[in-house]
Amino acid sequence: MKERTWPSRSDGSIFTALPFINKQNLPDKHTSTKSPTTAIRRSYKFTSKSSPSSSKSTFSDHRDFSTLPFDVLLKIAATFTLPNLRAASLVCKSWGDALRPLRDAMLFLRWGKMFKHGRGGVKPNLHKALDSFLKGAARGSTLAMVDAGLIYWEMGKKEEGIALYGKAAELGDPAGQCNLGISYLQAEPPNMKEAVKWLFQASVAGFVRAQYQLALCLHQGRGANRNLPEAARWYLRAAEGGYVRAMYNTSLCYSFGDGLGQSHRLARKWMKRAADRGHSKAQFEHGLGLFAEGDMMKAVVYLELATRAGETAAAHVKNVILQQLSAPSADKAILLADNWHTLHSH
């Protein structure tokens, strides 16, 4: 889905929101910020033993973690990925027993992804994928909750999807918080305050898509007072985290001095990074910059890429430059575009 992220020069339209994320393509950002070791350490109970000379806290003899209520355990481990669950399960037999439902949830999560994407020798089947994700969600996995919520949303069952996003969000899953925030953005009518609330929580946890969405809200004054410096700060954080749309907007912030100190060097740096990762508007803008600098060959490459991505205005500039190049140089530039590979991005 092609979406604009900055007002165009012609129509001045504002930023637009992103579609929901599919966690399957994400890096492992949704892992809990608390490691299993930290969670275990905090679960110990302390008792105070007094003596005439001192009072010291010592470990209680009651360390059977399997006696923890499941809702408490769920808050600790619901966002764990399989490697973290395995590590936590090896700490002691009690934790191994108590975490069994979440380990089972990981199996259902795996089957759900196989059915959804047709992997592992199975045919794509959205209903079987949803059934697997729901079984994983019922056993407490926030990862499964988000994937099930996404399928419900794609089916048009938005209330069911929002309910699952909300449960995952309450348990601290950044992807669930981000999707819940976007749900409120797209609701009729939108609930902007709730959207910003959840996007902020996911942003603080380091979730780059939420950081970008939060920046858009702050830039537009939706759900919060318009704050360009704060918006630019979140654009920059998301860009540094590898989010392409944020790279493009960060470049524009530096170029126009919106929220960031004006710097043509940094503007060019972030524009090139976005262009190299397939952002069509960035490819057009970077191509224009190279043309202005006199680097005709590279300009043609980026303008050709932008043209292929649907930026019609890039075609005119490209054709003007091609008329100034020799036939071998023009052929080489097009060949470079043919062999061009997008850099990895989020």
Side-chain angles (χ1 to χ4, degrees):
M1 180 177 177
K2 185 177 178 182
E3 300 188 52
R4 293 181 296 180
T5 56
W6 194 274
S8 71
R9 296 176 177 179
S10 59
D11 59 20
S13 60
I14 58 176
F15 296 79
T16 56
L18 291 178
F20 286 99
I21 38 239
N22 186 332
K23 292 182 70 175
Q24 186 243 329
N25 292 323
L26 300 182
D28 194 19
K29 297 279 186 180
H30 46 249
T31 305
S32 172
T33 54
K34 296 180 182 178
S35 67
T37 306
T38 303
I40 294 167
R41 187 185 305 120
R42 292 184 179 180
S43 298
Y44 278 106
K45 297 179 180 179
F46 293 87
T47 57
S48 176
K49 293 185 179 181
S50 301
S51 65
S53 59
S54 64
S55 177
K56 298 182 179 179
S57 293
T58 60
F59 288 121
S60 168
D61 290 331
H62 304 291
R63 301 178 186 173
D64 186 356
F65 297 112
S66 65
T67 62
L68 283 172
F70 186 69
D71 61 334
V72 175
L73 186 63
L74 196 61
K75 289 181 179 179
I76 297 172
T79 59
F80 283 9
T81 56
L82 184 57
N84 284 343
L85 279 174
R86 285 173 173 167
S89 299
L90 293 173
V91 171
C92 63
K93 184 178 184 301
S94 296
W95 266 69
D97 294 341
L99 292 174
R100 187 182 303 278
L102 285 171
R103 292 198 304 276
D104 292 342
M106 291 294 103
L107 295 176
F108 286 112
L109 180 67
R110 180 183 177 188
W111 274 103
K113 291 185 181 296
M114 289 168 63
F115 280 121
K116 183 175 182 179
H117 302 288
R119 296 174 179 171
V122 302
K123 294 182 179 179
N125 188 316
L126 203 58
H127 292 286
K128 287 186 178 181
L130 178 59
D131 182 63
S132 296
F133 289 143
L134 289 174
K135 288 178 179 177
R139 286 161 175 79
S141 169
T142 61
L143 283 67
M145 293 174 197
V146 173
D147 279 328
L150 179 60
I151 291 182
Y152 271 135
W153 189 272
E154 292 171 346
M155 288 179 169
K157 299 181 178 180
K158 295 186 177 182
E159 290 186 5
E160 290 89 338
I162 290 174
L164 285 164
Y165 291 148
K167 188 172 182 181
E170 292 287 354
L171 289 167
D173 188 286
Q177 292 168 344
C178 182
N179 278 12
L180 184 60
I182 297 174
S183 298
Y184 285 125
L185 286 177
Q186 298 184 352
E188 293 294 341
N191 187 336
M192 299 307 303
K193 288 188 176 180
E194 282 295 302
V196 170
K197 166 190 166 183
W198 289 109
L199 290 173
F200 179 78
Q201 290 194 32
S203 296
V204 171
F207 203 73
V208 293
R209 285 168 175 80
Q211 291 170 349
Y212 172 75
Q213 287 290 320
L214 179 62
L216 287 177
C217 290
L218 292 167
H219 199 149
Q220 299 168 0
R222 301 174 66 202
N225 293 330
R226 191 166 187 263
N227 189 328
L228 285 180
E230 192 70 6
R233 185 173 74 89
W234 285 113
Y235 282 140
L236 181 58
R237 285 187 62 175
E240 290 172 341
Y243 201 64
V244 179
R245 289 182 174 93
M247 293 177 188
Y248 178 71
N249 284 9
T250 297
S251 173
L252 296 180
C253 286
Y254 276 122
S255 180
F256 300 131
D258 287 345
L260 296 170
Q262 193 170 39
S263 170
H264 295 297
R265 179 182 64 83
L266 291 174
R268 189 179 189 280
K269 164 190 167 182
W270 285 110
M271 190 65 74
K272 184 179 186 304
R273 288 191 178 185
D276 287 342
R277 287 158 181 79
H279 194 290
S280 62
K281 290 186 181 298
Q283 289 168 342
F284 182 24
E285 295 282 350
H286 188 57
L288 290 176
L290 290 168
F291 176 45
E293 295 170 3
D295 195 339
M296 303 298 190
M297 284 278 291
K298 287 184 179 179
V300 169
V301 173
Y302 283 98
L303 291 169
E304 173 67 14
L305 293 171
T307 300
R308 295 178 185 183
E311 299 294 332
T312 54
H316 173 71
V317 182
K318 178 199 68 176
N319 290 334
V320 170
I321 300 173
L322 285 174
Q323 292 175 5
Q324 302 177 33
L325 294 177
S326 64
S329 295
D331 291 341
K332 183 178 180 181
I334 299 301
L335 182 62
L336 288 171
D338 290 338
N339 295 325
W340 187 81
H341 296 287
T342 304
L343 294 180
H344 174 74
S345 62
H346 292 163

